Amino acid sequence: MRAHSALPPEPVAGLHGPLQAVLFDMDGVVTDTARAHAAAWQRLFDEFLQARAQSRGEAFRPFDIVRDYRLYVDGKPRHDGIRSFLESRGIALPYGSEDDGPGAQTVCGLGNRKNRHFRAWLEQNRVQAYPGTLQLVRALHQAGVKIAVYSASRNAGAVLRNAGVLELFDASVGGSDLARLELPGKPDPAMLREAASRLGVPPERCAVVEDAIAGVQAGAKGEFGLVIGVDRGDCGGELRQAGAHIVVHDLGELAYTADGKLAVKTLANLPSTWKCEGEIQRRLMGKEPVVFLDYDGTLTPIVEDHTKALLSQDMRAAVDRLSECCIVAVVSGRDLGMLKSLVGLDSVYYAGSHGFEIAGPAGSSESLEQGVEFLPELDEAERALREGLAGIAGHAVERKRFSVAVHYRRVAVGDLDPLEAVVDRVLAEYPRLRRGYGKKVFELRPGIDWNKGRAVLWLLERLGLARPEVLPIYVGDDVTDEDAFRALAGRGLGFAVRDDGMRQTAADYAVASTREVGRLLELFTEIATEAKRAGGAQP
């Protein structure tokens, strides 16, 4: 990824002049192992707490995988995390010895049991590195900025090797180093200072990238020049309060600029597609394009009444022409049946309900349904929403097969808080569902790790398109499209339809309107057609 001279760097407290080094936390920043760790912690503590409750005749209160993990465990050395959580429950255990067996009722014994749970996961699974992080790491490498990775985990080396990214870093500090050097864990900055020292760079010339509250606190206490919080959940406010100068959802939202700084990419400062047309053509040269298109706000303008967002004949014709040159998929929050009816083309793939249901073109057998087991809860949640919102004028409840949308574009400002309160209450009643966001809409969806980005990756893999000569392209406008921009960071191209907002984005380029999307599709068609004429990639 080249340096983005088109992006004005955001003013950041504490950092003056170009960066010399960037320090990356491992879990949740470089590698997607946070869920595996959280699952291992939950299994450990629930086993312990349940046995303790039974022996004492007390009520069992399970480990909260969101709140407890974030507050007491995330980012800390294993034994510190155990003691911190147990203290929150008023439980004191002897520290014990590093040699304690996994059944010992000591801090070390519990730590060894947790390690056994995590190692079992690691032996059976491949660790994934975040595409946006790898994109930023490569840009820093090209610019000569030093980079290090650190982790409180004693499994850090094994995790990085499993993910195939250990060699990307100039230095690393792991849990074994902490034990050998007798360094305290986060929120103490000792581990971060050790990483900076191994790079030969003073803290004030380093950026720290963290997803844990304790890690952000360590960066702030260590007086590092720039502390970046990565909010992969819903803890942006807590990360800022802990001392983060910048908070992003993914490192694909950052760009390294020509003047040696890190800038946050927003819809407002993304490079214009038309000013970078030559560059885009060069990136597509010799590649097989595969184009993914959002519907509302991308192929059609956003309208007051979502039922009237109809595809124009010109846009339908543009999509059809493109599908003759390369594979095209329409990816939308719309229900699959409705989406197919609105687009009306047999030549494209469809991913409806944010990718929970996928169907191929006419004659194709490709299909997928995710989250079928959630359908009864969605039925009940829909009834509860319709009843709870009955007195609020202007709203619309739209039932899709795998989600329930609450549109509030025409709701009075004074009624927005009561409307959101109803949505929150229904979510509390059905905890297996989670809330999604869009433009003037709340959605209740199955609480599983599936979204537009996962759907795009599934299609690429399923169709045999996860190859270096294939260039995936995604065009979208909404916050739900960011999952796809992040999934394709560094391996594809993302085009965002710019609006008046300052939303942070992982896209690469911007177009101004749905009308310009039509022009963009014509550009893709011309490039793909020329490639076919030259004997290049086939669809």
Side-chain angles (χ1 to χ4, degrees), residues 33 61 73 82 92 105 114 120 125 141 195 215 219-220 227 232 238 242 253 273 282 318 329 360 368 375 435 445 460:
T33 44
R61 183 158 63 97
V73 175
I82 291 170
Q105 298 298 298
K114 185 267 176 181
N125 297 273
H141 260 308
V227 182
R232 299 202 189 274
E238 293 166 283
E253 297 173 6
T273 293
R282 287 192 295 273
L368 173 73
L375 292 178
R435 175 157 59 173
R445 306 175 193 163
L460 290 172

Side-chain angles (χ1 to χ4, degrees), residues 319-338:
V319 175
D320 195 23
R321 284 193 296 271
L322 180 60
S323 69
E324 295 175 359
C325 307
C326 66
I327 290 175
V328 176
V330 182
V331 186
S332 171
R334 297 264 184 175
D335 185 88
L336 179 62
M338 175 62 73

Side-chain angles (χ1 to χ4, degrees), residues 39-61:
W41 282 116
Q42 184 176 44
R43 180 179 174 186
L44 167 74
F45 285 128
D46 281 356
E47 288 172 350
F48 171 78
L49 293 170
Q50 195 160 36
R52 181 182 175 88
Q54 288 176 349
S55 67
R56 293 168 171 255
E58 300 172 348
F60 165 57
R61 183 158 63 97

